[in-house]
Amino acid sequence: MPFILDDSPSPSSTHSSSEDPTSQRRTLHHIADVVIVGAGILGSAIAMAFARQSRSVILLEKSLKEPDRIVGELLQPGGVAALEKLGLRDCLEEIDACVVKGYEVIYYGQGVEIPYPDNAVSKGQRPEGRSFHHGRFIRRLREVAMKDPNITVVESTVTGMVKSGMTGQVLGVESLTHGEKDCYFGELTVVADGYASKFRKDYISQAPISKSKFWGLELRDAQLPRPGHGHVILGDGAPVLLYQIGTHETRALIDVPDGLPSASIANGGVKGHLQNVVLPSLPKPIQSSFQLALDEGKLRSMPNSWLPPSTNKVPGLVLLGDAMNMRHPLTGGGMTVALNDVVLLQDLLSPEKIPDLGDTQLVLKQMKTFHWRRKNLTSVINILAQALYALFAANDPQLKALQLGCFCYFQQGGQCVDGPVGLLAGIIRQPLVLIYHFFLVALLAIWLVISKSPIWKLPFTLLECVAIFGKACAVIFPYLGSELRS
């Protein structure tokens, strides 16, 4: 028998099989309406969404220890709003979460504030995000799931799918619990096992693309130039992110592209790159705490991956979260996408629309609807993350021109800030608004080049402007195309 994790020791609150036949089916026979693989942010949230619709849920997680990751620590206002819709807003309490009011972009030492847009939530009120230790947030979500009588949480490592030999329908999963083989069965199996999904390759033809890693440090008592804001540091190299994750802790994430010469073994590896290239480029108040964290040597990394979304087409199975769709974490959009996906699925897979989750054809029809309906938000966040990273990690003259154009665009204030940050925050859900602002940035970059060039260089300047516009198209159109595919 698997080890069933029970959050409350008192007999009155235990999910007793004698009191609840549905619980007995889960604990003794391992049968539920839904089997969920992965008790991360999406897995825990969707377990609660199903459970509150009176679905029976088995939630499987290979390790219920509090995770310790260096990403998934900043929740945009659009994610906070989704959490409220799911009734899980309290999970942001008691974890020493910090208020996030917007961003500060620092370009070669010059800063510009990018606050979240005014009146986006209610008149006279700016929306807020939250930043926190990833593991603490996960712990709070799991605690809520463990207390729900419709959910059984099991610490078990899923090893494969159980399928019908005739139809190919997924009927459940095989797993190992304390080294012993086990099986769990459900009308629907949800796989949300994260960026390193072991099942993705069996059901999605496209593999994730990763061209860089975020290397993370935890700074103590760092003096951020603008408290309550995420910071993006731009200079000669790839971007650096700084944001507070606790009263005394600040996360530093340094993007290191693959094959970067300054991070080669001959130059001291990644630590040498951070010491010799990144440290001098940081604001002075940050440098001492960054140096202390670097000296401690607690460097960790995560790949920065791109995986366009795809439609779920396997009967009985749904892939969600980073297992199905990833974007560069520069914009902190992953959790916002995940929680909004749960909000949408809570409606599309509700008992009113799908009384029986075993009706695989109806589920597949709703998942096709899900694929297209989610795009108002997720296509914006996906494309914005990839396009902004291309500009912020600029490595050629055209991209550097676009990077300068982007910074100068932010300096204009007004809609030049409210529009882009509203998209980033998950508040504005209109892909055309993203395209509009992106090409205004490109036009501003072109104007800056023209205005700084002498008249005698006009033919060469015009060629340069064509190259800049061409580069802008090359940056954004492939990602637009990927969102139009099913």
Side-chain angles (χ1 to χ4, degrees):
M1 287 296 297
F3 172 69
I4 309 298
L5 203 136
D6 189 350
D7 185 59
S8 177
S10 65
S12 61
S13 61
T14 300
H15 303 171
S16 170
S17 61
S18 62
E19 296 178 1
D20 183 359
T22 306
S23 177
Q24 184 177 13
R25 280 167 58 83
R26 293 196 303 268
T27 57
L28 297 181
H29 305 296
H30 302 176
I31 299 173
D33 295 325
V34 186
V35 174
I36 300 172
V37 180
I41 288 167
L42 189 143
S44 298
I46 202 168
M48 288 301 303
F50 281 128
R52 289 174 177 174
Q53 294 176 336
S54 299
R55 306 276 199 191
S56 177
V57 179
I58 295 173
L59 179 58
L60 304 175
E61 171 58 45
K62 64 181 179 181
S63 174
L64 288 168
K65 294 179 181 178
E66 184 174 305
D68 184 15
R69 291 180 59 190
I70 62 168
V71 294
E73 298 171 319
L74 196 153
L75 184 62
Q76 299 288 358
V80 174
L83 209 58
E84 291 175 350
K85 291 177 183 177
L86 294 168
L88 297 172
R89 177 64 174 74
D90 288 348
C91 292
L92 292 174
E93 306 300 329
E94 301 176 12
I95 60 172
D96 195 24
C98 302
V99 172
V100 180
K101 301 176 182 178
Y103 283 82
E104 175 83 357
V105 176
I106 300 175
Y107 177 79
Y108 288 94
Q110 185 178 4
V112 61
E113 183 187 8
I114 306 177
Y116 292 130
D118 198 6
N119 299 328
V121 178
S122 60
K123 190 173 181 180
Q125 181 181 353
R126 291 186 184 273
E128 294 178 344
R130 290 292 185 275
S131 54
F132 39 73
H133 288 270
H134 174 85
R136 295 176 187 175
F137 183 47
I138 295 288
R139 170 172 51 79
R140 288 285 285 136
L141 288 170
R142 289 175 179 173
E143 286 171 355
V144 174
M146 289 174 187
K147 292 176 182 176
D148 194 291
N150 290 325
I151 301 174
T152 298
V153 181
V154 187
E155 191 172 64
S156 186
T157 301
V158 176
T159 56
M161 299 291 138
V162 178
K163 301 179 184 178
S164 166
M166 294 184 63
T167 65
Q169 178 181 340
V170 173
L171 306 174
V173 300
E174 297 176 312
S175 70
L176 288 174
T177 308
H178 302 307
E180 296 184 5
K181 291 184 178 180
D182 219 329
C183 290
Y184 294 87
F185 301 95
E187 293 177 328
L188 181 66
T189 299
V190 176
V191 172
D193 59 341
Y195 78 95
S197 173
K198 67 169 70 173
F199 303 108
R200 179 194 296 123
K201 64 181 183 298
D202 297 327
Y203 302 103
I204 296 179
S205 59
Q206 192 163 354
I209 298 171
S210 177
K211 297 181 179 180
S212 71
K213 290 182 179 178
F214 260 149
W215 288 82
L217 289 170
E218 187 175 302
L219 316 185
R220 295 287 297 179
D221 297 315
Q223 298 179 35
L224 292 173
R226 195 176 294 276
H229 291 66
H231 291 66
V232 183
I233 315 297
L234 302 178
D236 290 329
V240 176
L241 299 186
L242 299 165
Y243 51 90
Q244 200 170 348
I245 56 174
T247 303
H248 298 284
E249 302 87 36
T250 294
R251 173 68 67 208
L253 292 176
I254 303 93
D255 187 84
V256 179
D258 295 345
L260 187 68
S262 59
S264 66
I265 295 175
N267 288 314
V270 170
K271 189 171 183 178
H273 170 72
L274 301 186
Q275 181 74 55
N276 302 321
V277 178
V278 175
L279 179 60
S281 70
L282 297 177
K284 293 292 183 183
I286 296 289
Q287 292 186 7
S288 59
S289 56
F290 189 91
Q291 182 68 68
L292 286 172
L294 192 57
D295 291 341
E296 289 178 2
K298 295 180 181 179
L299 268 172
R300 291 177 296 159
S301 68
M302 289 281 289
N304 297 325
S305 301
W306 160 248
L307 178 67
S310 55
T311 308
N312 284 272
K313 298 179 180 178
V314 179
L317 178 70
V318 171
L319 265 73
L320 294 172
D322 284 352
M324 183 269 288
N325 178 207
M326 290 186 284
R327 79 290 306 151
H328 197 286
L330 173 70
T331 57
M335 291 188 292
T336 297
V337 168
L339 292 170
N340 278 278
D341 280 352
V342 175
V343 170
L344 182 53
L345 286 169
Q346 182 179 241
D347 172 50
L348 292 175
L349 302 183
S350 67
E352 292 76 20
K353 294 182 177 177
I354 303 185
D356 178 13
L357 290 173
D359 186 345
T360 58
Q361 292 307 309
L362 183 54
V363 170
L364 288 175
K365 180 182 176 182
Q366 291 296 83
M367 291 310 299
K368 186 173 183 179
T369 301
F370 166 76
H371 175 76
W372 293 108
R373 193 180 294 179
R374 72 192 288 266
K375 287 188 180 295
N376 280 342
L377 171 68
T378 59
S379 67
V380 167
I381 292 179
N382 289 341
I383 296 167
L384 181 62
Q386 297 304 119
L388 264 187
Y389 176 69
L391 269 58
F392 285 0
N395 57 4
D396 66 36
Q398 292 77 39
L399 286 174
K400 291 300 285 186
L402 289 167
Q403 183 188 80
L404 175 59
C406 186
F407 182 75
C408 292
Y409 192 74
F410 293 152
Q411 286 182 312
Q412 305 305 307
Q415 279 301 310
C416 297
V417 166
D418 288 350
V421 78
L423 294 162
L424 181 147
I427 297 169
I428 299 175
R429 305 181 176 202
Q430 301 173 44
L432 289 177
V433 174
L434 168 60
I435 297 170
Y436 168 79
H437 284 287
F438 183 83
F439 280 103
L440 281 183
V441 165
L443 292 175
L444 179 57
I446 289 170
W447 168 249
L448 290 172
V449 169
I450 293 173
S451 63
K452 293 178 181 179
S453 299
I455 191 69
W456 63 268
K457 288 184 65 177
L458 184 60
F460 302 100
T461 301
L462 291 176
L463 288 175
E464 185 179 355
C465 292
V466 169
I468 291 170
F469 190 80
K471 179 64 73 171
C473 294
V475 165
I476 199 168
F477 283 143
Y479 299 117
L480 284 171
S482 69
E483 291 292 331
L484 296 174
R485 291 194 293 268
S486 61

